[in-house]
Amino acid sequence: MANSDMIQNRDIVIVGQQPWDVEIGSNCKNIAAEFSRHNRVLYVNSPLDRITRYRRKHEPAVQKRITIVKGKQAGLEQIANNLWTYYPGEMIESINWIKSAALFNILNKRNNKIFARDIQIAMQQLEFKNIILFNDDDIFRCFYLKELLKPAVSIYYSRDYLLTVDYWKLHGTTLEPLLIAKSDLCVANSTYLADYCRQYNPRSYYVGQGCDLEIFSKESYAVPADTATISKPIIGYVGALQSLRLDLELLQNIATAKPGWQIVLVGPEDDIFKASSLHTLPNIHFLGGKPPDTLPAYINAFDVCLNPQVINEVTRGNYPRKIDEYLAMGKPVIATETAFMKTVFKDHTYLCNTAAEYVAAIEKALMENSPALQQKRKDFAASHSWENNVKEIYKAVNGLE
């Protein structure tokens, strides 16, 4: 990275939706690690809220936060050189059920003040000053942090279109555009989301996304025990099995059309997936959630990789990080066609709209897969490093000066 593009020796505070101890992969965690190569980084987990405190009190992650709120454990932990994570010591109120915008805004500002006060405690311990504030898609809890923390630069990071999700829809429809507008700049991991942000802030940039290339580029992987007895060909998917994002009917149609193909789904299921008729099909295998460091071994066991998205406002413009992970391992990838997928991945994936197209593309991928094609996929994925992603963020920040 050229020195002119780099930001270094700065203090960066990251806030957002995904905590450091999240079980699935996280763009923001990867970005934090890359920031920390040349800067000091404080990764702040969202504060414990009252409903979570009582409804999920038996979960280990929540128990840890309760212990910290009670003052029995320090909230600041060093993860690596130049990188700390912080579990806030104060609880906030659960307010998203409130319909009145005026009352919600009053209580949300109070929550923001509690959160900001907590962050300042950690900043003082680390002697952070003149910070860059990086907000990973957290509309409510971080809405007033620019005013309260007074960062040198405030960045809003958009990686999902949230406003069709019930949790964000009611108040987020008003607040997200305001948050985008008042941020010093916005960065997005897809052209679709960059265009969305640009409606409210002209300083909005597409910065792409990275991939954990190191763990997806080993020479060999042990075959996971729960795939060893599954016959070939294996058509696989790795990731959260959420009905909001994946097309259950499409999966059923593929499995029904080709009973000799084994469809392997690796990831935690939502309630709709758990109750679906997919569980009755003998050639669909649900393997459950797995630790992130084991996922390359599962992908390696696949003959073809899928991303069977359902098209809606949430998925239309998102950047599926699993596409790069599949390609980094040289695997043929069959995915639902979107404008973003056509822009970025059309030359390296098979893009489809219907179950019939999926079946034909899988057949083609199985037939024409070769070492040369595998290497082309790996080379393309290698250009999507977290270093390159963060370089684009640095360029956007430097453009403010």
Side-chain angles (χ1 to χ4, degrees):
M1 186 185 300
N3 288 336
S4 60
D5 293 328
M6 187 183 297
I7 290 175
Q8 53 188 333
N9 301 321
R10 294 293 300 273
D11 293 335
I12 302 175
V13 174
I14 296 178
V15 293
Q17 296 183 48
Q18 289 188 299
W20 189 263
D21 52 356
V22 67
E23 294 181 353
I24 60 174
S26 166
N27 289 8
C28 201
K29 286 177 61 177
N30 291 116
I31 289 171
E34 186 62 35
F35 280 158
S36 72
R37 292 178 58 200
H38 303 288
N39 304 278
R40 296 198 305 162
V41 177
L42 174 63
Y43 191 103
V44 183
N45 299 304
S46 56
L48 181 67
D49 66 271
R50 194 170 298 278
I51 287 179
T52 301
R53 160 71 175 82
Y54 291 104
R55 288 185 179 175
R56 297 167 51 193
K57 60 185 177 183
H58 299 298
E59 297 179 13
V62 176
Q63 289 176 358
K64 176 176 181 175
R65 286 153 175 77
I66 293 170
T67 301
I68 291 169
V69 168
K70 289 180 177 180
K72 297 180 179 180
Q73 181 178 338
L76 187 62
E77 300 177 1
Q78 185 160 12
I79 301 299
N81 187 39
N82 285 340
L83 177 59
W84 294 263
T85 187
Y86 182 62
Y87 297 84
E90 291 192 67
M91 188 166 61
I92 63 172
E93 298 301 326
S94 307
I95 61 173
N96 206 41
W97 56 273
I98 295 172
K99 304 299 183 186
S100 165
L103 180 57
F104 175 87
N105 288 334
I106 290 170
L107 295 176
N108 190 47
K109 190 166 190 178
R110 180 180 181 274
N111 277 347
N112 273 238
K113 287 180 177 178
I114 292 170
F115 191 25
R117 185 166 63 236
D118 228 332
I119 294 171
Q120 286 168 334
I121 291 171
M123 287 173 54
Q124 288 168 4
Q125 291 182 47
L126 297 172
E127 298 183 344
F128 269 38
K129 297 176 181 177
N130 194 39
I131 66 168
I132 295 172
L133 178 66
F134 187 89
N135 177 3
D136 174 26
D137 253 346
D138 197 333
I139 301 169
F140 302 148
R141 292 168 297 209
C142 303
F143 184 81
Y144 294 102
L145 291 190
K146 179 179 181 180
E147 294 86 346
L148 294 167
L149 296 179
K150 298 182 174 16
V153 179
S154 63
I155 303 171
Y156 185 73
Y157 177 47
S158 178
R159 56 181 174 80
D160 270 314
Y161 185 68
L162 300 175
L163 300 186
T164 58
V165 180
D166 288 341
Y167 179 84
W168 301 103
K169 188 182 302 182
L170 177 61
H171 300 295
T173 302
T174 299
L175 294 185
E176 187 179 42
L178 294 174
L179 180 55
I180 291 170
K182 69 178 177 177
S183 297
D184 294 316
L185 70 145
C186 302
V187 295
N189 71 342
S190 79
T191 51
Y192 178 91
L193 292 170
D195 289 341
Y196 162 69
C197 291
R198 203 170 292 117
Q199 296 176 67
Y200 310 106
N201 189 330
R203 299 175 303 279
S204 298
Y205 307 94
Y206 167 61
V207 295
Q209 184 167 295
C211 176
D212 300 317
L213 297 173
E214 184 175 348
I215 69 169
F216 290 96
S217 56
K218 295 180 181 179
E219 290 297 322
S220 62
Y221 299 86
V223 177
D226 50 0
T227 63
T229 59
I230 298 175
S231 61
K232 296 281 191 173
I234 294 178
I235 318 301
Y237 171 87
V238 164
L241 299 172
Q242 299 174 337
S243 55
L244 179 67
R245 295 178 179 274
L246 300 181
D247 192 330
L248 283 79
E249 183 179 355
L250 174 61
L251 288 169
Q252 180 164 331
N253 288 340
I254 296 170
T256 303
K258 291 289 183 176
W261 292 351
Q262 305 305 310
I263 297 177
V264 173
L265 306 176
V266 180
E269 301 174 70
D270 69 10
D271 290 340
I272 292 178
F273 257 94
K274 289 177 181 176
S276 76
S277 59
L278 296 178
H279 284 271
T280 67
L281 296 176
N283 61 330
I284 295 186
H285 309 265
F286 289 86
L287 302 189
K290 305 294 179 182
D293 61 352
T294 68
L295 297 182
Y298 283 93
I299 295 172
N300 190 58
F302 300 162
D303 297 292
V304 171
C305 297
L306 296 181
N307 192 39
Q309 286 191 141
V310 62
I311 299 297
N312 56 36
E313 289 301 320
V314 174
T315 63
R316 193 181 308 279
N318 75 326
Y319 189 129
R321 61 185 279 150
K322 62 180 56 62
I323 301 296
D324 278 323
E325 295 168 354
Y326 294 158
L327 294 175
M329 299 192 69
K331 295 295 180 177
V333 178
I334 321 296
T336 301
E337 181 178 294
T338 65
F340 177 73
M341 287 295 297
K342 286 174 64 177
T343 300
V344 177
F345 290 107
K346 68 176 181 178
D347 294 331
H348 304 279
T349 61
Y350 303 81
L351 300 181
C352 307
N353 292 295
T354 67
E357 290 177 4
Y358 259 88
V359 169
I362 294 169
E363 289 178 330
K364 183 178 181 183
L366 289 169
M367 179 181 66
E368 69 182 14
N369 193 26
S370 68
L373 281 176
Q374 292 166 20
Q375 191 59 51
K376 285 183 179 180
R377 296 173 191 132
K378 292 177 182 180
D379 291 343
F380 176 72
S383 69
H384 293 169
S385 67
W386 290 110
E387 181 180 5
N388 287 341
N389 180 203
V390 167
K391 178 180 177 179
E392 293 301 312
I393 296 172
Y394 288 161
K395 285 169 63 176
V397 174
N398 287 330
L400 291 174
E401 299 177 353

